[in-house]
Amino acid sequence: MLTNYAYKLRPNVNQSKEMGGWLDMLRSTYNWSLSDRIAQYNQQFIQGDYCDIRTRGEACPLTCFVSKNGASGEPWKDTKVDKDGKLKNPRRSAGDIQITALPELKKRAPWFGEIDSTVLQQNVKRLDTAYKNFFSARRCANEGRGFPKFKNRSNFTSFTYQMGVKVQGSKIYLPKLGWMRFFNSRMIPFGFTIKAATIRKRQDGWYVSIRIEDKTIPDYVQKPLNEVNSILGCDLGITKLVHLSDRHQIDNPKFSTNKKARRTLKIRQRRVSRKVKGSKNRKKAVRKLGRFHKKIADKRVAYQWDVANKIVSRNVDAIALEDLNISGMLKRCKVKTDEITGRFLKNGQSRKKGLNRAISDASWSELILKIEYLAAKQGKVVIKINPKHSSQECRNCGHIDKSNRDGEKFICTECGYHEHADIGAAKTIRDRGLEIVRGDSAKLAARQLNAQNVSPRSTSKRGEFGNLCKQDIKAAKS
């Protein structure tokens, strides 16, 4: 079994300065490696199928090693020998080329020798992983992972050890940094060995995430789909964070979009903008603003673990979740222009800005990850459901209409069936999960059950308070 434990470090002044210097050097290495790969790709892209434009010589593995994911360096291995004793000379990948060039980097810049070798190697592998994610995302359009970006101080805050890390009591040994104290808030279980450690800088100090493994403990095994008898449907929202199919609702505290937090963020951001750039007072204001952002993030994470535990602890075999395209939901509105004058028209982006902030504050993707993690630990199945028209589909007659929903109320314009819109959406998601597990017969059974449990108001002549339904209007016209 493989798992991660996180702790807060207590480095001394020298160790803290040294780790900060490592981050600067690793960031420069990462950016140089990325620019090298982009340059190699541009050379291949511009020249097309030719290795030399003047002679029009075609690209050949023996004469030209440039590729779409290439790097400058020695592309061939000369030290490998096969079973028969013959020299193997396979071609290196871009990541291997840049890793084998690290000793040359240490010769040209001796200060890179202060960094542990595995940390430098993992830094290049980090870029390699970003490249692989980008090309795999192009094949799967729903992934949404973009091309690797150049890093700055704000988004490059971690490095990883692959070996050499040791823990004794409340002290941890990090190669090239020495022994360092940490808050041992969670004891590492007996029998687990340390596989890797990631050091991360946050607003209030340094943290370490230790990856531990015990091969004698088997991994968690999910229940097969044919053994799933009960499913809990979850509908994610903003007014309420989660609506469950058992009619339970979980509140959304809105940690960063409530009135007090917005006012505090506004004041502290204004203090930063009023300070002189590069001054010590500006740095102090930035640290204070960052600590407040971290406080909000910690509150959100703690609350999400509590919510995920409440959902997973339900007595069900599977959990049905919405498969949301959150990055698409946060995109800007399309630009509108006047056909005659060409001037820009209002497109609703100013109103959508508040919705985008509320969606980001709810952090649905992080909540889904936590639910999946806890469900895997308990052997429960998580089913991703397409949420299309889940809150507009009538659970009684199946009629889909945008006008069925009015805020949190759902009143079918065909049959008059009404209930809470988001709870009805959670039930629809549950039924779609049952369809995946059992087949189309589950949908028919759910419809029959809803037909028996239609509320008295929906069977009356008036489907909504004070308004005529379609049947009443048709009868009045005839």
Side-chain angles (χ1 to χ4, degrees):
M1 187 179 73
L2 194 67
T3 185
N4 288 337
Y5 281 9
Y7 305 94
K8 185 175 182 180
L9 294 173
R10 301 171 62 190
N12 56 36
V13 177
N14 292 333
Q15 290 172 335
S16 181
K17 287 183 179 179
E18 197 167 355
M19 288 189 291
W22 282 23
L23 284 180
D24 292 337
M25 289 188 283
L26 291 170
R27 186 179 69 253
S28 65
T29 306
Y30 182 95
N31 291 337
W32 185 90
S33 301
L34 177 57
S35 64
D36 180 44
R37 294 199 188 191
I38 293 174
Q40 293 295 325
Y41 173 76
N42 288 336
Q43 183 179 356
Q44 164 72 12
F45 180 75
I46 294 169
Q47 294 180 355
D49 295 330
Y50 300 107
C51 187
D52 190 352
I53 296 177
R54 288 187 299 116
T55 61
R56 292 185 177 273
E58 292 187 0
C60 173
L62 298 176
T63 60
C64 182
F65 61 88
V66 175
S67 66
K68 290 184 179 180
N69 190 15
S72 59
E74 180 58 43
W76 307 108
K77 296 180 182 179
D78 297 325
T79 58
K80 297 293 182 180
V81 179
D82 58 10
K83 295 180 181 179
D84 300 331
K86 296 181 180 179
L87 189 66
K88 289 198 306 182
N89 197 14
R91 182 171 174 165
R92 290 190 177 100
S93 64
D96 292 336
I97 292 173
Q98 291 180 338
I99 288 175
T100 53
L102 290 175
E104 296 296 328
L105 172 65
K106 291 182 180 179
K107 290 180 181 178
R108 294 196 307 268
W111 51 89
F112 277 94
E114 301 173 1
I115 305 176
D116 184 68
S117 59
T118 61
V119 173
L120 284 169
Q121 293 170 9
Q122 290 300 313
N123 191 42
V124 178
K125 289 181 180 179
R126 176 178 177 177
L127 174 61
D128 210 36
T129 303
Y131 256 84
K132 291 177 181 177
N133 290 339
F134 169 69
F135 287 108
S136 64
R138 292 181 68 184
R139 291 192 293 269
C140 304
N142 294 329
E143 288 291 330
R145 294 182 178 179
F147 189 79
K149 297 179 178 62
F150 291 98
K151 302 294 184 180
N152 54 33
R153 288 185 180 181
S154 62
N155 57 20
F156 192 93
T157 58
S158 64
F159 56 88
T160 301
Y161 283 98
Q162 196 65 22
M163 59 180 66
V165 179
K166 295 180 286 187
V167 174
Q168 290 182 2
S170 60
K171 290 186 178 181
I172 183 171
Y173 177 77
L174 301 175
K176 296 291 184 80
L177 292 173
W179 288 97
M180 189 182 302
R181 294 182 296 170
F182 71 98
F183 293 97
N184 193 4
S185 55
R186 191 180 187 187
M187 295 294 293
I188 296 177
F190 180 76
F192 280 83
T193 57
I194 298 175
K195 304 297 292 183
T198 300
I199 313 299
R200 180 170 285 104
K201 184 180 182 181
R202 300 189 68 183
Q203 287 80 3
D204 63 338
W206 295 87
Y207 288 80
V208 59
S209 177
I210 303 175
R211 182 177 298 173
I212 56 177
E213 183 183 23
D214 190 352
K215 295 183 179 180
T216 60
I217 301 177
D219 292 330
Y220 301 110
V221 179
Q222 287 187 350
K223 184 177 289 187
L225 283 177
N226 54 8
E227 296 182 7
V228 173
N229 297 320
S230 57
I231 296 180
L232 178 69
C234 301
D235 178 74
L236 303 176
I238 294 175
T239 306
K240 299 287 185 180
L241 185 60
V242 186
H243 300 83
L244 303 179
S245 57
D246 59 1
R247 304 193 67 83
H248 186 75
Q249 298 178 343
I250 299 176
D251 292 331
N252 182 14
K254 299 181 180 179
F255 293 105
S256 66
T257 55
N258 61 63
K259 187 176 180 180
K260 184 177 179 181
R262 282 190 288 111
R263 186 175 184 275
T264 305
L265 285 172
K266 182 179 179 180
I267 292 172
R268 296 196 179 182
Q269 185 62 56
R270 186 170 59 206
R271 288 174 181 171
V272 171
S273 63
R274 287 180 175 178
K275 300 292 189 298
V276 179
K277 288 186 178 180
S279 64
K280 291 186 178 180
N281 285 335
R282 188 183 177 94
K283 292 179 181 178
K284 290 179 185 177
V286 168
R287 283 197 296 268
K288 196 171 183 180
L289 176 64
R291 284 196 296 269
F292 187 71
H293 275 293
K294 181 184 177 297
K295 184 178 180 180
I296 292 174
D298 290 343
K299 284 182 179 181
R300 185 186 295 116
V301 168
Y303 184 74
Q304 285 185 345
W305 280 117
D306 187 35
V307 170
N309 192 36
K310 285 181 181 178
I311 294 172
V312 176
S313 61
R314 291 288 201 279
N315 188 18
V316 291
D317 299 327
I319 300 169
L321 298 171
E322 295 177 286
D323 190 10
L324 297 171
N325 181 15
I326 299 174
S327 60
M329 296 169 68
L330 296 175
K331 284 186 178 179
R332 295 180 63 86
C333 299
K334 290 184 178 179
V335 177
K336 293 183 180 180
T337 56
D338 193 340
E339 295 179 357
I340 301 174
T341 61
R343 291 186 176 182
F344 291 106
L345 302 175
K346 291 184 177 180
N347 60 349
Q349 179 59 36
S350 59
R351 287 178 295 172
K352 191 175 183 295
K353 183 170 65 174
L355 177 63
N356 290 349
R357 287 176 179 173
I359 293 173
S360 300
D361 186 26
S363 189
W364 294 331
S365 57
E366 292 295 326
L367 178 60
I368 289 172
L369 288 176
K370 292 175 176 61
I371 292 173
E372 290 176 344
Y373 173 76
L374 293 179
K377 289 182 71 174
Q378 297 189 19
K380 296 183 178 180
V381 183
V382 174
I383 306 172
K384 294 290 187 68
I385 305 298
N386 184 5
K388 187 176 182 180
H389 302 311
S390 59
S391 61
Q392 299 173 6
E393 180 182 355
C394 179
R395 295 181 42 77
N396 184 36
C397 64
H399 175 65
I400 298 175
D401 190 1
K402 188 176 181 180
S403 60
N404 285 349
R405 177 165 184 171
D406 181 17
E408 294 186 353
K409 292 188 295 183
F410 179 91
I411 303 173
C412 181
T413 57
E414 284 291 327
C415 66
Y417 174 77
H418 76 93
E419 65 174 335
H420 193 284
D422 294 316
I423 293 177
K427 292 179 180 179
T428 303
I429 291 168
R430 177 199 61 191
D431 295 342
R432 291 179 184 179
L434 287 171
E435 289 178 39
I436 295 174
V437 174
R438 301 178 187 174
D440 293 336
S441 60
K443 189 171 184 179
L444 179 61
R447 288 271 175 81
Q448 292 174 351
L449 180 63
N450 289 326
Q452 296 172 2
N453 296 330
V454 173
S455 60
R457 189 181 303 276
S458 61
T459 57
S460 65
K461 291 184 178 180
R462 292 180 182 270
E464 189 179 355
F465 311 101
N467 294 329
L468 295 173
C469 64
K470 277 191 175 181
Q471 291 85 346
D472 296 333
I473 294 172
K474 289 179 181 178
K477 286 185 178 180
S478 61

